[in-house]
Amino acid sequence: MNKEKKTIIIEEILHWKRNKMLPHTYCDFLLALYTEGNVEQSKYRKKFSFNHILPFIIALFLPLTLIVTYFTEFSFILQMLIVSIFLIFSLIITAFFYKNNRTIHLSLSVSAILLLILTIDVVEYMTGGNKLFLSLTIFANCCLWIYLSRKLRLIYLLISGIIGFLSLLFVYFF
């Protein structure tokens, strides 16, 4: 068997082993068979990529934002600075994923929620909790979600925007 075919078969067996498609003993036997006992798994091992961990890091932004905003004694400016940094980082990651044709659902959702939290907190601080300005802020965020849902063809943003808008109507008229 030529070397190219052996390499492909070994990579496939390692894939089966990583994803637990076959028991480890079977995979080890097949690896020993195809490598003739000279298995160098580090040569065939998939390299670690930071791109696989980014969605999990972004998912931590929401609980961290809530902790920073509601459970710390930081000044308002520092709280909003931290939330702004989280928002900017999540927007950069969303743009990176969008550019590289990867799924942007988690990072876009986190960005939208962070933007909502940031704008509501800033408007509440600036206006002293005026209900009209808070409602306009929520309305603007819902309009942004609906616009993005149309542009990116994401139904969950459309549903979120409509639910937010209907919630505002319900609060004001019922």
Side-chain angles (χ1 to χ4, degrees):
M1 184 178 295
N2 73 21
K3 196 170 189 169
E4 250 180 66
K5 287 183 182 180
K6 272 189 182 182
T7 305
I8 292 171
I9 291 172
I10 291 170
E11 287 175 3
E12 191 66 29
I13 294 169
L14 287 171
H15 174 74
W16 294 343
K17 187 175 181 178
R18 273 191 307 269
N19 295 316
K20 299 178 182 168
M21 297 169 93
L22 284 177
H24 286 288
T25 53
Y26 293 174
C27 293
D28 291 339
F29 172 75
L30 289 171
L31 284 171
L33 183 67
Y34 282 102
T35 60
E36 299 168 0
N38 300 326
V39 67
E40 291 181 31
Q41 290 188 12
S42 61
K43 185 168 106 176
Y44 297 104
R45 201 170 282 202
K46 190 175 182 180
K47 293 184 179 180
F48 175 76
S49 174
F50 194 66
N51 293 337
H52 299 294
I53 240 167
L54 284 177
F56 299 109
I57 292 172
I58 290 173
L60 289 175
F61 285 168
L62 286 178
L64 288 174
T65 298
L66 294 176
I67 289 170
V68 165
T69 306
Y70 298 111
F71 300 113
T72 61
E73 295 292 325
F74 295 148
S75 69
F76 177 76
I77 305 288
L78 184 58
Q79 288 177 353
M80 293 304 106
L81 179 67
I82 292 170
V83 175
S84 298
I85 290 170
F86 289 164
L87 176 63
I88 290 169
F89 187 70
S90 67
L91 287 173
I92 289 170
I93 297 304
T94 303
F96 173 75
F97 284 170
Y98 184 74
K99 180 181 169 191
N100 292 326
N101 295 326
R102 295 195 47 206
T103 57
I104 60 169
H105 303 295
L106 179 66
S107 59
L108 182 63
S109 300
V110 169
S111 298
I113 294 170
L114 285 175
L115 181 64
L116 178 68
I117 292 170
L118 181 68
T119 54
I120 286 176
D121 285 346
V122 168
V123 167
E124 186 176 28
Y125 180 76
M126 299 293 274
T127 64
N130 188 338
K131 300 273 186 196
L132 177 65
F133 288 116
L134 288 174
S135 299
L136 289 175
T137 303
I138 294 171
F139 178 74
N141 275 285
C142 291
C143 289
L144 176 67
W145 295 349
I146 291 171
Y147 170 74
L148 286 175
S149 73
R150 298 285 183 178
K151 184 174 181 185
L152 301 174
R153 294 187 211 117
L154 299 172
I155 191 73
Y156 61 88
L157 278 178
L158 178 66
I159 292 169
S160 300
I162 291 171
I163 288 173
F165 181 69
L166 292 176
S167 299
L168 280 176
L169 289 177
F170 181 77
V171 166
Y172 273 103
F173 294 114
F174 295 109

mmCIF file of all heavy atoms in Angstrom, residues 47-90:
data_model
loop_
_atom_site.group_PDB
_atom_site.id
_atom_site.type_symbol
_atom_site.label_atom_id
_atom_site.label_comp_id
_atom_site.label_asym_id
_atom_site.label_seq_id
_atom_site.Cartn_x
_atom_site.Cartn_y
_atom_site.Cartn_z
ATOM 1 N N LYS A 47 -3.937 19.740 15.186
ATOM 2 C CA LYS A 47 -3.370 20.834 15.960
ATOM 3 C C LYS A 47 -4.467 21.638 16.632
ATOM 4 O O LYS A 47 -5.548 21.813 16.095
ATOM 5 C CB LYS A 47 -2.530 21.739 15.062
ATOM 6 C CG LYS A 47 -1.301 21.039 14.544
ATOM 7 C CD LYS A 47 -0.444 21.968 13.762
ATOM 8 C CE LYS A 47 0.789 21.215 13.288
ATOM 9 N NZ LYS A 47 1.668 22.034 12.534
ATOM 10 N N PHE A 48 -4.161 22.135 17.813
ATOM 11 C CA PHE A 48 -5.106 22.938 18.579
ATOM 12 C C PHE A 48 -5.288 24.281 17.906
ATOM 13 O O PHE A 48 -4.341 24.914 17.475
ATOM 14 C CB PHE A 48 -4.587 23.129 19.999
ATOM 15 C CG PHE A 48 -5.447 24.034 20.820
ATOM 16 C CD1 PHE A 48 -6.643 23.570 21.325
ATOM 17 C CD2 PHE A 48 -5.085 25.338 21.063
ATOM 18 C CE1 PHE A 48 -7.449 24.393 22.071
ATOM 19 C CE2 PHE A 48 -5.878 26.170 21.809
ATOM 20 C CZ PHE A 48 -7.065 25.690 22.315
ATOM 21 N N SER A 49 -6.529 24.712 17.826
ATOM 22 C CA SER A 49 -6.830 25.997 17.230
ATOM 23 C C SER A 49 -7.616 26.835 18.225
ATOM 24 O O SER A 49 -8.569 26.357 18.848
ATOM 25 C CB SER A 49 -7.653 25.798 15.954
ATOM 26 O OG SER A 49 -8.063 27.031 15.458
ATOM 27 N N PHE A 50 -7.224 28.079 18.370
ATOM 28 C CA PHE A 50 -7.889 28.984 19.295
ATOM 29 C C PHE A 50 -9.308 29.305 18.825
ATOM 30 O O PHE A 50 -10.154 29.680 19.615
ATOM 31 C CB PHE A 50 -7.068 30.267 19.435
ATOM 32 C CG PHE A 50 -7.467 31.118 20.594
ATOM 33 C CD1 PHE A 50 -7.290 30.671 21.886
ATOM 34 C CD2 PHE A 50 -8.037 32.354 20.386
ATOM 35 C CE1 PHE A 50 -7.670 31.445 22.952
ATOM 36 C CE2 PHE A 50 -8.420 33.147 21.447
ATOM 37 C CZ PHE A 50 -8.229 32.679 22.738
ATOM 38 N N ASN A 51 -9.581 29.116 17.531
ATOM 39 C CA ASN A 51 -10.898 29.406 16.975
ATOM 40 C C ASN A 51 -11.988 28.514 17.557
ATOM 41 O O ASN A 51 -13.148 28.885 17.588
ATOM 42 C CB ASN A 51 -10.893 29.261 15.454
ATOM 43 C CG ASN A 51 -10.049 30.306 14.797
ATOM 44 O OD1 ASN A 51 -9.808 31.358 15.358
ATOM 45 N ND2 ASN A 51 -9.590 30.012 13.597
ATOM 46 N N HIS A 52 -11.614 27.319 18.022
ATOM 47 C CA HIS A 52 -12.602 26.414 18.582
ATOM 48 C C HIS A 52 -13.020 26.826 19.986
ATOM 49 O O HIS A 52 -14.091 26.452 20.450
ATOM 50 C CB HIS A 52 -12.069 24.983 18.603
ATOM 51 C CG HIS A 52 -11.757 24.456 17.248
ATOM 52 N ND1 HIS A 52 -12.725 24.239 16.288
ATOM 53 C CD2 HIS A 52 -10.585 24.120 16.659
ATOM 54 C CE1 HIS A 52 -12.164 23.784 15.184
ATOM 55 N NE2 HIS A 52 -10.869 23.703 15.387
ATOM 56 N N ILE A 53 -12.196 27.566 20.660
ATOM 57 C CA ILE A 53 -12.483 27.960 22.035
ATOM 58 C C ILE A 53 -13.173 29.322 22.112
ATOM 59 O O ILE A 53 -13.800 29.630 23.118
ATOM 60 C CB ILE A 53 -11.172 27.940 22.830
ATOM 61 C CG1 ILE A 53 -11.299 26.979 23.958
ATOM 62 C CG2 ILE A 53 -10.783 29.251 23.373
ATOM 63 C CD1 ILE A 53 -9.995 26.668 24.601
ATOM 64 N N LEU A 54 -13.087 30.123 21.070
ATOM 65 C CA LEU A 54 -13.665 31.469 21.088
ATOM 66 C C LEU A 54 -15.159 31.517 21.406
ATOM 67 O O LEU A 54 -15.584 32.363 22.201
ATOM 68 C CB LEU A 54 -13.391 32.184 19.765
ATOM 69 C CG LEU A 54 -11.978 32.709 19.586
ATOM 70 C CD1 LEU A 54 -11.814 33.320 18.211
ATOM 71 C CD2 LEU A 54 -11.626 33.705 20.646
ATOM 72 N N PRO A 55 -15.992 30.640 20.846
ATOM 73 C CA PRO A 55 -17.414 30.706 21.211
ATOM 74 C C PRO A 55 -17.658 30.481 22.706
ATOM 75 O O PRO A 55 -18.545 31.093 23.285
ATOM 76 C CB PRO A 55 -18.058 29.594 20.379
ATOM 77 C CG PRO A 55 -17.158 29.416 19.224
ATOM 78 C CD PRO A 55 -15.780 29.699 19.742
ATOM 79 N N PHE A 56 -16.862 29.636 23.331
ATOM 80 C CA PHE A 56 -17.040 29.385 24.761
ATOM 81 C C PHE A 56 -16.598 30.590 25.586
ATOM 82 O O PHE A 56 -17.204 30.902 26.610
ATOM 83 C CB PHE A 56 -16.277 28.135 25.180
ATOM 84 C CG PHE A 56 -16.756 26.902 24.462
ATOM 85 C CD1 PHE A 56 -15.970 26.292 23.508
ATOM 86 C CD2 PHE A 56 -18.008 26.381 24.731
ATOM 87 C CE1 PHE A 56 -16.416 25.167 22.839
ATOM 88 C CE2 PHE A 56 -18.468 25.268 24.061
ATOM 89 C CZ PHE A 56 -17.666 24.654 23.115
ATOM 90 N N ILE A 57 -15.567 31.272 25.119
ATOM 91 C CA ILE A 57 -15.126 32.483 25.809
ATOM 92 C C ILE A 57 -16.197 33.559 25.679
ATOM 93 O O ILE A 57 -16.525 34.248 26.649
ATOM 94 C CB ILE A 57 -13.779 32.970 25.240
ATOM 95 C CG1 ILE A 57 -12.676 31.983 25.602
ATOM 96 C CG2 ILE A 57 -13.434 34.363 25.742
ATOM 97 C CD1 ILE A 57 -11.347 32.256 24.947
ATOM 98 N N ILE A 58 -16.763 33.689 24.498
ATOM 99 C CA ILE A 58 -17.811 34.685 24.280
ATOM 100 C C ILE A 58 -19.038 34.362 25.128
ATOM 101 O O ILE A 58 -19.690 35.263 25.654
ATOM 102 C CB ILE A 58 -18.161 34.770 22.785
ATOM 103 C CG1 ILE A 58 -17.003 35.405 22.032
ATOM 104 C CG2 ILE A 58 -19.424 35.562 22.554
ATOM 105 C CD1 ILE A 58 -17.145 35.390 20.553
ATOM 106 N N ALA A 59 -19.347 33.082 25.282
ATOM 107 C CA ALA A 59 -20.506 32.701 26.099
ATOM 108 C C ALA A 59 -20.312 33.093 27.560
ATOM 109 O O ALA A 59 -21.295 33.288 28.277
ATOM 110 C CB ALA A 59 -20.747 31.201 25.987
ATOM 111 N N LEU A 60 -19.078 33.241 28.003
ATOM 112 C CA LEU A 60 -18.814 33.664 29.380
ATOM 113 C C LEU A 60 -19.022 35.168 29.576
ATOM 114 O O LEU A 60 -19.109 35.625 30.711
ATOM 115 C CB LEU A 60 -17.389 33.302 29.775
ATOM 116 C CG LEU A 60 -17.109 31.821 29.981
ATOM 117 C CD1 LEU A 60 -15.630 31.606 30.258
ATOM 118 C CD2 LEU A 60 -17.946 31.275 31.112
ATOM 119 N N PHE A 61 -19.109 35.916 28.493
ATOM 120 C CA PHE A 61 -19.271 37.369 28.607
ATOM 121 C C PHE A 61 -20.580 37.758 29.290
ATOM 122 O O PHE A 61 -20.616 38.724 30.035
ATOM 123 C CB PHE A 61 -19.194 38.032 27.247
ATOM 124 C CG PHE A 61 -17.809 38.119 26.681
ATOM 125 C CD1 PHE A 61 -17.617 38.466 25.368
ATOM 126 C CD2 PHE A 61 -16.694 37.860 27.453
ATOM 127 C CE1 PHE A 61 -16.340 38.556 24.831
ATOM 128 C CE2 PHE A 61 -15.426 37.939 26.934
ATOM 129 C CZ PHE A 61 -15.250 38.288 25.625
ATOM 130 N N LEU A 62 -21.646 37.021 29.027
ATOM 131 C CA LEU A 62 -22.933 37.386 29.620
ATOM 132 C C LEU A 62 -22.937 37.238 31.139
ATOM 133 O O LEU A 62 -23.302 38.188 31.840
ATOM 134 C CB LEU A 62 -24.064 36.584 28.991
ATOM 135 C CG LEU A 62 -24.434 37.007 27.582
ATOM 136 C CD1 LEU A 62 -25.529 36.119 27.023
ATOM 137 C CD2 LEU A 62 -24.846 38.445 27.531
ATOM 138 N N PRO A 63 -22.538 36.089 31.694
ATOM 139 C CA PRO A 63 -22.512 36.022 33.154
ATOM 140 C C PRO A 63 -21.521 37.004 33.770
ATOM 141 O O PRO A 63 -21.790 37.590 34.821
ATOM 142 C CB PRO A 63 -22.130 34.583 33.473
ATOM 143 C CG PRO A 63 -21.987 33.869 32.212
ATOM 144 C CD PRO A 63 -22.241 34.802 31.087
ATOM 145 N N LEU A 64 -20.388 37.204 33.099
ATOM 146 C CA LEU A 64 -19.413 38.170 33.617
ATOM 147 C C LEU A 64 -19.983 39.590 33.593
ATOM 148 O O LEU A 64 -19.750 40.373 34.515
ATOM 149 C CB LEU A 64 -18.121 38.107 32.812
ATOM 150 C CG LEU A 64 -17.254 36.873 33.033
ATOM 151 C CD1 LEU A 64 -16.073 36.876 32.069
ATOM 152 C CD2 LEU A 64 -16.780 36.801 34.456
ATOM 153 N N THR A 65 -20.736 39.908 32.557
ATOM 154 C CA THR A 65 -21.358 41.226 32.479
ATOM 155 C C THR A 65 -22.359 41.420 33.606
ATOM 156 O O THR A 65 -22.393 42.475 34.243
ATOM 157 C CB THR A 65 -22.062 41.402 31.122
ATOM 158 O OG1 THR A 65 -21.082 41.317 30.093
ATOM 159 C CG2 THR A 65 -22.782 42.728 31.037
ATOM 160 N N LEU A 66 -23.153 40.410 33.856
ATOM 161 C CA LEU A 66 -24.131 40.516 34.939
ATOM 162 C C LEU A 66 -23.447 40.636 36.299
ATOM 163 O O LEU A 66 -23.898 41.401 37.160
ATOM 164 C CB LEU A 66 -25.083 39.328 34.908
ATOM 165 C CG LEU A 66 -25.992 39.266 33.679
ATOM 166 C CD1 LEU A 66 -26.824 38.000 33.692
ATOM 167 C CD2 LEU A 66 -26.876 40.485 33.591
ATOM 168 N N ILE A 67 -22.371 39.906 36.481
ATOM 169 C CA ILE A 67 -21.628 39.999 37.742
ATOM 170 C C ILE A 67 -21.027 41.390 37.898
ATOM 171 O O ILE A 67 -21.144 42.017 38.953
ATOM 172 C CB ILE A 67 -20.541 38.902 37.808
ATOM 173 C CG1 ILE A 67 -21.194 37.539 38.005
ATOM 174 C CG2 ILE A 67 -19.553 39.184 38.940
ATOM 175 C CD1 ILE A 67 -20.243 36.373 37.842
ATOM 176 N N VAL A 68 -20.389 41.879 36.834
ATOM 177 C CA VAL A 68 -19.757 43.204 36.900
ATOM 178 C C VAL A 68 -20.793 44.298 37.097
ATOM 179 O O VAL A 68 -20.592 45.233 37.874
ATOM 180 C CB VAL A 68 -18.928 43.459 35.617
ATOM 181 C CG1 VAL A 68 -18.570 44.920 35.471
ATOM 182 C CG2 VAL A 68 -17.679 42.613 35.619
ATOM 183 N N THR A 69 -21.931 44.177 36.431
ATOM 184 C CA THR A 69 -22.931 45.236 36.472
ATOM 185 C C THR A 69 -23.728 45.253 37.774
ATOM 186 O O THR A 69 -23.974 46.319 38.326
ATOM 187 C CB THR A 69 -23.901 45.085 35.285
ATOM 188 O OG1 THR A 69 -23.141 45.038 34.087
ATOM 189 C CG2 THR A 69 -24.855 46.247 35.202
ATOM 190 N N TYR A 70 -24.098 44.104 38.265
ATOM 191 C CA TYR A 70 -25.041 44.076 39.373
ATOM 192 C C TYR A 70 -24.456 43.622 40.717
ATOM 193 O O TYR A 70 -25.093 43.833 41.749
ATOM 194 C CB TYR A 70 -26.236 43.184 39.027
ATOM 195 C CG TYR A 70 -26.992 43.711 37.835
ATOM 196 C CD1 TYR A 70 -26.975 43.036 36.624
ATOM 197 C CD2 TYR A 70 -27.689 44.905 37.920
ATOM 198 C CE1 TYR A 70 -27.657 43.533 35.528
ATOM 199 C CE2 TYR A 70 -28.365 45.414 36.827
ATOM 200 C CZ TYR A 70 -28.355 44.719 35.645
ATOM 201 O OH TYR A 70 -29.015 45.210 34.556
ATOM 202 N N PHE A 71 -23.307 42.999 40.735
ATOM 203 C CA PHE A 71 -22.810 42.439 41.982
ATOM 204 C C PHE A 71 -21.449 42.968 42.415
ATOM 205 O O PHE A 71 -20.804 42.359 43.257
ATOM 206 C CB PHE A 71 -22.744 40.910 41.890
ATOM 207 C CG PHE A 71 -24.076 40.278 41.621
ATOM 208 C CD1 PHE A 71 -24.329 39.633 40.419
ATOM 209 C CD2 PHE A 71 -25.087 40.340 42.555
ATOM 210 C CE1 PHE A 71 -25.550 39.058 40.172
ATOM 211 C CE2 PHE A 71 -26.319 39.765 42.314
ATOM 212 C CZ PHE A 71 -26.554 39.119 41.113
ATOM 213 N N THR A 72 -20.989 44.045 41.809
ATOM 214 C CA THR A 72 -19.705 44.608 42.217
ATOM 215 C C THR A 72 -19.889 46.048 42.677
ATOM 216 O O THR A 72 -20.907 46.673 42.397
ATOM 217 C CB THR A 72 -18.687 44.587 41.059
ATOM 218 O OG1 THR A 72 -19.191 45.362 39.990
ATOM 219 C CG2 THR A 72 -18.388 43.178 40.599
ATOM 220 N N GLU A 73 -18.899 46.544 43.345
ATOM 221 C CA GLU A 73 -18.919 47.922 43.833
ATOM 222 C C GLU A 73 -18.113 48.848 42.920
ATOM 223 O O GLU A 73 -17.703 49.923 43.344
ATOM 224 C CB GLU A 73 -18.344 47.972 45.257
ATOM 225 C CG GLU A 73 -19.171 47.234 46.278
ATOM 226 C CD GLU A 73 -20.515 47.885 46.532
ATOM 227 O OE1 GLU A 73 -20.590 49.128 46.495
ATOM 228 O OE2 GLU A 73 -21.492 47.150 46.741
ATOM 229 N N PHE A 74 -17.880 48.418 41.686
ATOM 230 C CA PHE A 74 -17.150 49.259 40.743
ATOM 231 C C PHE A 74 -17.972 50.512 40.449
ATOM 232 O O PHE A 74 -19.191 50.506 40.518
ATOM 233 C CB PHE A 74 -16.883 48.541 39.422
ATOM 234 C CG PHE A 74 -15.970 47.358 39.527
ATOM 235 C CD1 PHE A 74 -16.133 46.277 38.683
ATOM 236 C CD2 PHE A 74 -14.941 47.313 40.450
ATOM 237 C CE1 PHE A 74 -15.300 45.183 38.755
ATOM 238 C CE2 PHE A 74 -14.098 46.229 40.523
ATOM 239 C CZ PHE A 74 -14.278 45.156 39.683
ATOM 240 N N SER A 75 -17.276 51.576 40.064
ATOM 241 C CA SER A 75 -17.986 52.783 39.661
ATOM 242 C C SER A 75 -18.721 52.510 38.348
ATOM 243 O O SER A 75 -18.384 51.588 37.606
ATOM 244 C CB SER A 75 -17.005 53.944 39.478
ATOM 245 O OG SER A 75 -16.188 53.717 38.353
ATOM 246 N N PHE A 76 -19.708 53.346 38.061
ATOM 247 C CA PHE A 76 -20.509 53.160 36.850
ATOM 248 C C PHE A 76 -19.637 53.230 35.601
ATOM 249 O O PHE A 76 -19.807 52.427 34.674
ATOM 250 C CB PHE A 76 -21.619 54.220 36.784
ATOM 251 C CG PHE A 76 -22.422 54.128 35.527
ATOM 252 C CD1 PHE A 76 -23.370 53.135 35.384
ATOM 253 C CD2 PHE A 76 -22.218 55.017 34.483
ATOM 254 C CE1 PHE A 76 -24.107 53.034 34.213
ATOM 255 C CE2 PHE A 76 -22.950 54.922 33.327
ATOM 256 C CZ PHE A 76 -23.904 53.930 33.193
ATOM 257 N N ILE A 77 -18.708 54.153 35.581
ATOM 258 C CA ILE A 77 -17.824 54.314 34.408
ATOM 259 C C ILE A 77 -17.010 53.047 34.179
ATOM 260 O O ILE A 77 -16.895 52.566 33.040
ATOM 261 C CB ILE A 77 -16.880 55.529 34.606
ATOM 262 C CG1 ILE A 77 -17.662 56.797 34.897
ATOM 263 C CG2 ILE A 77 -15.943 55.692 33.427
ATOM 264 C CD1 ILE A 77 -18.401 57.361 33.719
ATOM 265 N N LEU A 78 -16.463 52.488 35.238
ATOM 266 C CA LEU A 78 -15.657 51.271 35.109
ATOM 267 C C LEU A 78 -16.524 50.086 34.669
ATOM 268 O O LEU A 78 -16.098 49.283 33.830
ATOM 269 C CB LEU A 78 -14.949 50.957 36.432
ATOM 270 C CG LEU A 78 -13.988 49.772 36.420
ATOM 271 C CD1 LEU A 78 -12.894 49.980 35.387
ATOM 272 C CD2 LEU A 78 -13.394 49.575 37.792
ATOM 273 N N GLN A 79 -17.722 49.988 35.218
ATOM 274 C CA GLN A 79 -18.625 48.917 34.799
ATOM 275 C C GLN A 79 -18.924 49.008 33.307
ATOM 276 O O GLN A 79 -18.851 48.014 32.587
ATOM 277 C CB GLN A 79 -19.936 48.988 35.580
ATOM 278 C CG GLN A 79 -19.834 48.578 37.017
ATOM 279 C CD GLN A 79 -21.145 48.751 37.757
ATOM 280 O OE1 GLN A 79 -22.104 49.306 37.221
ATOM 281 N NE2 GLN A 79 -21.186 48.277 38.991
ATOM 282 N N MET A 80 -19.253 50.202 32.849
ATOM 283 C CA MET A 80 -19.599 50.368 31.440
ATOM 284 C C MET A 80 -18.378 50.181 30.537
ATOM 285 O O MET A 80 -18.497 49.702 29.412
ATOM 286 C CB MET A 80 -20.246 51.724 31.193
ATOM 287 C CG MET A 80 -21.615 51.865 31.843
ATOM 288 S SD MET A 80 -22.780 50.586 31.349
ATOM 289 C CE MET A 80 -22.865 49.546 32.802
ATOM 290 N N LEU A 81 -17.210 50.525 31.037
ATOM 291 C CA LEU A 81 -15.985 50.288 30.275
ATOM 292 C C LEU A 81 -15.751 48.791 30.091
ATOM 293 O O LEU A 81 -15.431 48.334 28.979
ATOM 294 C CB LEU A 81 -14.791 50.933 30.977
ATOM 295 C CG LEU A 81 -13.437 50.743 30.298
ATOM 296 C CD1 LEU A 81 -13.406 51.488 28.969
ATOM 297 C CD2 LEU A 81 -12.321 51.197 31.189
ATOM 298 N N ILE A 82 -15.945 48.023 31.146
ATOM 299 C CA ILE A 82 -15.762 46.573 31.056
ATOM 300 C C ILE A 82 -16.789 45.967 30.103
ATOM 301 O O ILE A 82 -16.452 45.136 29.246
ATOM 302 C CB ILE A 82 -15.837 45.939 32.456
ATOM 303 C CG1 ILE A 82 -14.626 46.366 33.291
ATOM 304 C CG2 ILE A 82 -15.894 44.423 32.370
ATOM 305 C CD1 ILE A 82 -14.708 45.991 34.751
ATOM 306 N N VAL A 83 -18.046 46.374 30.221
ATOM 307 C CA VAL A 83 -19.085 45.859 29.327
ATOM 308 C C VAL A 83 -18.797 46.277 27.885
ATOM 309 O O VAL A 83 -18.990 45.496 26.952
ATOM 310 C CB VAL A 83 -20.479 46.328 29.786
ATOM 311 C CG1 VAL A 83 -21.544 45.904 28.787
ATOM 312 C CG2 VAL A 83 -20.803 45.778 31.159
ATOM 313 N N SER A 84 -18.296 47.490 27.686
ATOM 314 C CA SER A 84 -17.942 47.948 26.334
ATOM 315 C C SER A 84 -16.808 47.115 25.748
ATOM 316 O O SER A 84 -16.831 46.792 24.549
ATOM 317 C CB SER A 84 -17.541 49.417 26.360
ATOM 318 O OG SER A 84 -18.598 50.213 26.781
ATOM 319 N N ILE A 85 -15.849 46.764 26.559
ATOM 320 C CA ILE A 85 -14.749 45.911 26.089
ATOM 321 C C ILE A 85 -15.282 44.540 25.687
ATOM 322 O O ILE A 85 -14.907 43.999 24.639
ATOM 323 C CB ILE A 85 -13.647 45.813 27.156
ATOM 324 C CG1 ILE A 85 -12.923 47.154 27.286
ATOM 325 C CG2 ILE A 85 -12.659 44.692 26.838
ATOM 326 C CD1 ILE A 85 -11.986 47.244 28.468
ATOM 327 N N PHE A 86 -16.172 43.978 26.505
ATOM 328 C CA PHE A 86 -16.792 42.699 26.147
ATOM 329 C C PHE A 86 -17.547 42.817 24.826
ATOM 330 O O PHE A 86 -17.457 41.942 23.965
ATOM 331 C CB PHE A 86 -17.749 42.229 27.232
ATOM 332 C CG PHE A 86 -17.097 41.754 28.502
ATOM 333 C CD1 PHE A 86 -17.847 41.627 29.653
ATOM 334 C CD2 PHE A 86 -15.763 41.429 28.562
ATOM 335 C CE1 PHE A 86 -17.281 41.185 30.832
ATOM 336 C CE2 PHE A 86 -15.174 40.992 29.734
ATOM 337 C CZ PHE A 86 -15.938 40.870 30.872
ATOM 338 N N LEU A 87 -18.289 43.910 24.674
ATOM 339 C CA LEU A 87 -19.076 44.120 23.461
ATOM 340 C C LEU A 87 -18.176 44.263 22.238
ATOM 341 O O LEU A 87 -18.419 43.631 21.201
ATOM 342 C CB LEU A 87 -19.968 45.353 23.605
ATOM 343 C CG LEU A 87 -20.770 45.753 22.375
ATOM 344 C CD1 LEU A 87 -21.768 44.658 22.006
ATOM 345 C CD2 LEU A 87 -21.478 47.070 22.604
ATOM 346 N N ILE A 88 -17.142 45.054 22.346
ATOM 347 C CA ILE A 88 -16.225 45.250 21.213
ATOM 348 C C ILE A 88 -15.553 43.937 20.832
ATOM 349 O O ILE A 88 -15.459 43.588 19.652
ATOM 350 C CB ILE A 88 -15.186 46.343 21.540
ATOM 351 C CG1 ILE A 88 -15.869 47.707 21.584
ATOM 352 C CG2 ILE A 88 -14.042 46.338 20.532
ATOM 353 C CD1 ILE A 88 -15.017 48.807 22.153
ATOM 354 N N PHE A 89 -15.112 43.176 21.839
ATOM 355 C CA PHE A 89 -14.469 41.897 21.561
ATOM 356 C C PHE A 89 -15.450 40.934 20.888
ATOM 357 O O PHE A 89 -15.094 40.261 19.920
ATOM 358 C CB PHE A 89 -13.911 41.286 22.854
ATOM 359 C CG PHE A 89 -13.099 40.050 22.632
ATOM 360 C CD1 PHE A 89 -11.863 40.116 22.024
ATOM 361 C CD2 PHE A 89 -13.587 38.815 23.034
ATOM 362 C CE1 PHE A 89 -11.110 38.977 21.813
ATOM 363 C CE2 PHE A 89 -12.848 37.668 22.833
ATOM 364 C CZ PHE A 89 -11.605 37.751 22.222
ATOM 365 N N SER A 90 -16.685 40.882 21.368
ATOM 366 C CA SER A 90 -17.656 39.969 20.753
ATOM 367 C C SER A 90 -18.025 40.415 19.334
ATOM 368 O O SER A 90 -18.254 39.576 18.463
ATOM 369 C CB SER A 90 -18.899 39.826 21.629
ATOM 370 O OG SER A 90 -19.605 41.028 21.687
#
